[in-house]
Amino acid sequence: MAPDRDGDRSTVTTPAQSNWTPSSWREYGASQMPDWPDDQALKESTAELSGYPPLVFAGEARTLTRELASVSRGEAFLLQAGDCAESFSEFSADDIRDKLKVILQMAVVLTYGAGLPVVKIGRIAGQFAKPRSSMTELVGGVEMPSFRGHIINDDAPIPSARIPDPTRMLRAYNQSAATLNLLRAFTKGGFADLSQVHAWNQQFVAQSAEGRRYEAIAGEIDRALAFMRACGIDLRAEATIQQVEFFTSHEALLLDYEEALTRRDSLTNDWYDCSAHLLWIGERTRQLDGAHVNFLAGVKNPVGVKLGPTTTEDELLALCERLNPERIPGRLTLTTRLGVDRVTTLLPSLVRCVTDAGHPVVWQCDPMHGNTFSTEDGRKTRHFDDVLGEIRGFFGVHREEGTWPGGVHVELTGDNVTECLGGVEQILEADLPLRYTTTCDPRLNALQSIDLAFRVAELLRT
Ligand code: PEP
Ligand code: CO
């Protein structure tokens, strides 16, 4: 994790911030928020949260803004990845380690492919709240309130489990704190050692027929490491090779939680949402006059916005103005999730209008959320080929437009799940029930994720 190594006092307070407070969002329409049944219980939980220590520090968020500024200039690539929804029940050191391991493996491959640094951000340590398309869902023929993520209610298929419970925010905070603690230890304590991560990738290459396609790239990375050793660089002593910077992010959906963790930075006097380094606004809550946009407009963290196929140029320009009026490079990441069939037709005009307006953004492709469909037995899934196809379309459009395809945003897990179709093991629809454990959207498993990284590395090299 990034140390607080800046004393950057030059950040000016924006006009929007001068009368903005962490609770200003309450004057705006807030979609997707739970109907808390007990006001007093909600007040008690948020008051308690407000007294807890921040999970991340303002200086770390500023470091991430600077790194994302490099991405916006085409000098780095962004990998953001993790669970669709973190779970209270799937919470263990092994789970966290395996997820981090896959992300690090992907990052090494991408670093080599891009020939550039890779900024690594987990959807982790706070990614609990989920937007839902419907207030209710049918479970085994019984209609009940929708599951909204473990920070709000439980996924058990009984109506009483679905009642929003504000004490869950305290549990989410504690799980996030423990997760961050382990991530900080893993990324600074030797687990992220480059030679070791590369050795894991070599295992992937050796073990599967599909992996052997990547023998050439893996061999090149091997030779690069040997070259460094031959030059006298002690790979075991070099901090840049032993340690990585790893940032956290989640969708800023549950504003009661985000408000309670928003603090004024003593150095700059600016507000920071200290629940994660980067927060994003989802496709369902990006209304210009909505509470979520108001909330993220006022914090100084780097922020993201998801953009689905209905996004208009006017909406997009207004969002850029609202979220980044000072046009600070690295402040705003635009995450398109248009679907494999529509990316090449819809993306060019979005890219053009932002470029013409001179907004310095990071363009990122989320190839997951525009490619979800349900199987006949009602299971949500995605096909590996569609995921790859949307990324390929995204790269193609940016190449045409002369802009930098800055990064990817994927849902994955370190486990050997069977949630997305295709990929190295050719997962079929009939295989999905074998290990389908997600509490929300289908995730790429470890092998599919590493395979995807090799394919994106190939795209970056051509
Ligand atoms: C998500 O990232 O899990 C999500 C719900 O995405 P979107 O807002 O793009 O639908
Ligand atoms: Co999702």
Side-chain angles (χ1 to χ4, degrees):
M1 212 90 31
D4 186 354
R5 59 170 150 77
D6 72 343
D8 182 6
R9 288 159 202 267
S10 61
T11 37
V12 282
T13 300
T14 63
Q17 276 198 312
S18 54
N19 53 10
W20 180 96
T21 71
S23 62
S24 299
W25 65 270
R26 295 181 182 277
E27 288 150 40
Y28 297 76
S31 44
Q32 296 285 343
M33 297 282 286
D35 227 341
W36 300 108
D38 180 344
D39 261 0
Q40 188 51 33
L42 173 63
K43 277 204 189 95
E44 281 166 19
S45 287
T46 50
E48 190 164 340
L49 262 183
S50 304
Y52 284 178
L55 291 171
V56 305
F57 304 104
E60 295 176 329
R62 283 193 286 274
T63 301
L64 178 55
T65 302
R66 275 199 299 273
E67 297 205 359
L68 291 172
S70 309
V71 179
S72 73
R73 289 190 296 266
E75 295 162 8
F77 192 74
L78 167 62
L79 171 64
Q80 189 175 2
D83 263 316
C84 177
E86 285 175 276
S87 157
F88 285 176
S89 40
E90 251 181 50
F91 171 47
S92 71
D94 288 0
D95 273 327
I96 298 164
R97 180 202 58 204
D98 292 346
K99 219 168 291 163
L100 178 66
K101 181 177 167 188
V102 173
I103 296 173
L104 295 175
Q105 285 182 263
M106 294 176 79
V108 167
V109 174
L110 291 170
T111 305
Y112 193 78
L116 293 170
V118 170
V119 180
K120 297 167 272 295
I121 309 181
R123 285 175 63 113
I124 199 165
Q127 176 50 28
F128 288 105
K130 295 314 299 175
R132 304 313 306 251
S133 342
S134 166
M135 296 287 283
T136 59
E137 60 193 356
L138 271 181
V139 188
V142 182
E143 190 173 18
M144 59 187 76
S146 296
F147 170 56
R148 289 171 171 276
H150 279 161
I151 195 170
I152 295 169
N153 60 8
D154 197 69
D155 56 319
I158 35 173
S160 60
R162 305 299 176 93
I163 299 170
D165 172 3
T167 63
R168 287 179 162 268
M169 288 193 280
L170 305 176
R171 184 155 171 205
Y173 170 93
N174 285 317
Q175 180 164 327
S176 300
T179 301
L180 253 168
N181 183 49
L182 201 60
L183 288 171
R184 289 183 195 268
F186 276 142
T187 51
K188 300 296 177 205
F191 181 76
D193 168 55
L194 178 58
S195 312
Q196 176 171 308
V197 176
H198 177 57
W200 292 328
N201 279 341
Q202 283 176 312
Q203 264 170 27
F204 164 78
V205 168
Q207 268 168 12
S208 68
E210 192 61 25
R212 280 194 274 285
R213 268 192 65 206
Y214 309 117
E215 250 164 15
I217 295 189
E220 286 172 41
I221 299 176
D222 220 22
R223 274 190 293 284
L225 289 173
F227 177 73
M228 286 196 275
R229 272 185 227 107
C231 292
I233 298 169
D234 181 353
L235 299 182
R236 278 161 313 179
E238 191 60 41
T240 48
I241 290 178
Q242 285 292 317
Q243 305 185 356
V244 296
E245 286 191 333
F246 189 82
F247 299 93
T248 60
S249 69
H250 60 260
E251 179 174 349
L253 186 71
L254 183 57
L255 297 178
D256 298 298
Y257 179 80
E258 305 304 335
E259 177 187 335
L261 287 171
T262 297
R263 310 290 160 79
R264 226 189 239 285
D265 173 37
S266 56
L267 207 59
T268 60
N269 220 26
D270 287 323
W271 292 105
Y272 281 84
D273 182 345
C274 298
S275 69
H277 299 108
L278 178 142
L279 288 312
W280 78 84
I281 304 173
E283 161 69 1
R284 293 166 192 77
T285 48
R286 60 175 170 77
Q287 302 79 16
L288 261 180
D289 55 354
H292 295 83
V293 170
N294 171 272
F295 181 79
L296 283 195
V299 296
K300 274 277 179 174
N301 306 58
V303 298
V305 190
K306 294 283 205 89
L307 303 170
T310 60
T311 313
T312 66
E313 292 171 38
D314 287 348
E315 270 168 16
L316 179 52
L317 286 176
L319 278 168
C320 291
E321 281 300 323
R322 185 95 173 82
L323 292 168
N324 194 13
E326 295 169 273
R327 305 185 177 213
I328 298 168
R331 154 75 176 169
L332 182 60
T333 294
L334 299 177
T335 309
T336 54
R337 28 86 91 222
L338 302 167
V340 62
D341 297 334
R342 289 189 276 189
V343 59
T344 51
T345 47
L346 297 178
L347 186 56
S349 62
L350 298 180
V351 170
R352 231 169 277 153
C353 77
V354 172
T355 308
D356 290 349
H359 272 285
V361 302
V362 170
W363 289 104
Q364 186 192 38
C365 175
D366 165 358
M368 314 299 292
H369 291 88
N371 296 310
T372 318
F373 61 93
S374 288
T375 60
E376 268 175 23
D377 60 2
R379 229 178 262 277
K380 280 203 279 184
T381 190
R382 293 153 173 164
H383 201 291
F384 182 86
D385 294 346
D386 295 341
V387 170
L388 183 63
E390 180 159 354
I391 297 177
R392 197 172 274 135
F394 171 85
F395 270 76
V397 169
H398 282 288
R399 295 242 152 94
E400 285 275 305
E401 299 298 322
T403 41
W404 173 237
V408 291
H409 180 132
V410 290
E411 289 182 342
L412 57 74
T413 169
D415 297 336
N416 181 21
V417 299
T418 52
E419 297 172 5
C420 290
L421 301 169
V424 186
E425 309 134 289
Q426 295 291 332
I427 294 175
L428 303 172
E429 235 178 87
D431 302 324
L432 292 182
L434 293 176
R435 288 177 302 279
Y436 192 98
T437 57
T438 183
T439 47
C440 197
D441 287 340
R443 303 158 297 178
L444 298 172
N445 64 27
L447 290 180
Q448 288 170 324
S449 303
I450 296 159
D451 189 13
L452 188 74
F454 274 106
R455 302 220 186 207
V456 175
E458 285 175 344
L459 285 173
L460 281 163
R461 281 153 59 98
T462 48

